[in-house]
Amino acid sequence: RPPISTLFPYTTLFRSTLRTVSRKYKIYDLYFTAWGDILQFSTVRGDTEYVLLEAGRMEEEARKLNNVTGIYNSVLTTARALRASKQEDEAVKRYREALEIPYLPKVDKATVYNEVATIYQLRGEYDNMLSELNMERDMMEQVLKESPEKADSYRDKMLDMELSYCAVYLDNADLGNLLKHLQQARKYYSSNTLFSYKIKYRIMWGGYYCLNGDRKSTRLNSSHQIIS
C-alpha cells in the first residue's frame, strides 16, 4: 500500500504548515505531536516501513532542536511500529530508550509502561506485565499527587490501567484480585468514559461473573455492554 502522504497529500501540507509556524514562534511541541499522530494512523494501516523511516527523520529533527516532546514522539512511534510488525524485542528496547529521555514527564513514562505491559500480556508473561503496570501506577500516583486538580482529565487513563490489571487476573482465574481491580475501575468509570473502555469494562465484569458461576449476571452484563 502507498504511504499515507500519497493517499492523503493534505497531511504533508498540514505538517509543512505546522513546521513553518513552529519555527516562526519557536514552539515545536504541537508540530511533533501532530506528526506522531499522523504516523500512528499509518501504523494502524500497516505502513510500518514508511513509519520507521519517518520516525527516524522526526527523531533527527527533534534532537537537533533538543525538543523532549519530539524525541519522545519519535521513539514512541518507532516502538509502536516495531510492535505492529511483530518485532517485539526491538520494540521493548525502544520503549526503554524512551524512559531514559531527560525531563520526560511522568505521565508519558506511564504511557510507556502501559504499552510495554501490553506486549508482555500478548506473550503471556504476566509477572513482567504486572511489573510494568506497577511502574505505571507509581508514575500516575505521583502525577495525581503533584497535580490533584487534573484528576478528572486522567480518569480514562486510570480506568485503562485498572482494566489491564483485570486482564491479568481474568486470564489467571484469580477472582479475588480481579474483583479488587474491578472495584477500583468502577471509581473511574463514568458516562463520559470512552466507548472502547466501556466495552472493555463490561467484558471484565462479564468474565468475573462467568468465573464466579453467575451465568445470569454474565448474560445481563453482555446485554448492557451492547446497549451502553
Side-chain angles (χ1 to χ4, degrees):
R1 277 182 271 181
I4 190 171
S5 57
T6 301
L7 292 175
F8 304 102
Y10 290 114
T11 61
T12 302
L13 176 61
F14 173 68
R15 185 162 63 83
S16 178
T17 302
L18 263 181
R19 180 194 287 123
T20 301
V21 173
S22 297
R23 285 177 175 173
K24 180 178 180 180
Y25 295 101
K26 306 298 181 185
I27 302 174
Y28 298 97
D29 287 1
L30 178 60
Y31 163 61
F32 285 117
T33 299
W35 192 355
D37 289 343
I38 291 169
L39 292 179
Q40 177 62 13
F41 185 74
S42 284
T43 298
V44 172
R45 291 186 65 254
D47 298 328
T48 53
E49 290 185 15
Y50 165 72
V51 171
L52 290 171
L53 287 171
E54 284 293 292
R57 296 189 183 102
M58 189 200 305
E59 184 172 359
E60 182 180 357
E61 189 172 336
R63 290 192 183 280
K64 285 180 180 178
L65 294 167
N66 196 30
N67 183 272
V68 172
T69 298
I71 297 170
Y72 169 70
N73 272 280
S74 65
V75 177
L76 195 69
T77 298
T78 298
R80 286 170 172 171
L82 289 168
R83 183 180 65 180
S85 59
K86 307 301 181 184
Q87 301 179 63
E88 295 170 349
D89 290 336
E90 290 301 312
V92 171
K93 288 180 183 177
R94 294 314 305 265
Y95 279 122
R96 298 298 183 213
E97 288 177 24
L99 294 171
E100 299 301 319
I101 297 172
Y103 309 111
L104 185 68
K106 293 183 179 69
V107 69
D108 291 332
K109 290 184 178 181
T111 295
V112 172
Y113 287 123
N114 182 274
E115 295 194 13
V116 175
T118 300
I119 291 177
Y120 288 134
Q121 179 185 8
L122 293 174
R123 289 177 166 184
E125 298 177 16
Y126 295 111
D127 287 343
N128 288 333
M129 182 183 178
L130 285 172
S131 177
E132 299 299 321
L133 290 176
N134 289 339
M135 292 300 295
E136 180 188 8
R137 178 185 292 281
D138 181 59
M139 288 295 107
M140 289 309 300
E141 285 178 349
Q142 291 183 52
V143 168
L144 294 174
K145 183 177 180 180
E146 293 167 4
S147 304
E149 74 281 359
K150 295 182 179 180
D152 280 348
S153 65
Y154 292 129
R155 287 180 70 94
D156 276 356
K157 192 171 186 65
M158 296 299 291
L159 174 60
D160 183 43
M161 181 184 69
E162 292 298 339
L163 293 176
S164 293
Y165 276 107
C166 289
V168 175
Y169 297 119
L170 178 59
D171 285 354
N172 288 277
D174 184 338
L175 273 173
N177 278 313
L178 175 56
L179 179 59
K180 171 186 172 183
H181 286 283
L182 279 170
Q183 290 170 337
Q184 284 294 112
R186 181 182 285 157
K187 297 177 182 179
Y188 303 111
Y189 186 91
S190 74
S191 59
N192 296 321
T193 295
L194 286 175
F195 186 67
S196 59
Y197 293 149
K198 286 185 176 182
I199 293 175
K200 190 175 180 181
Y201 178 77
R202 294 294 170 183
I203 287 173
M204 292 301 162
W205 272 111
Y208 170 77
Y209 290 129
C210 185
L211 287 176
N212 206 29
D214 190 341
R215 295 181 180 275
K216 181 179 179 181
S217 293
T218 302
R219 290 195 297 271
L220 289 173
N221 209 60
S222 298
S223 299
H224 194 178
Q225 174 189 320
I226 295 171
I227 63 176
S228 294

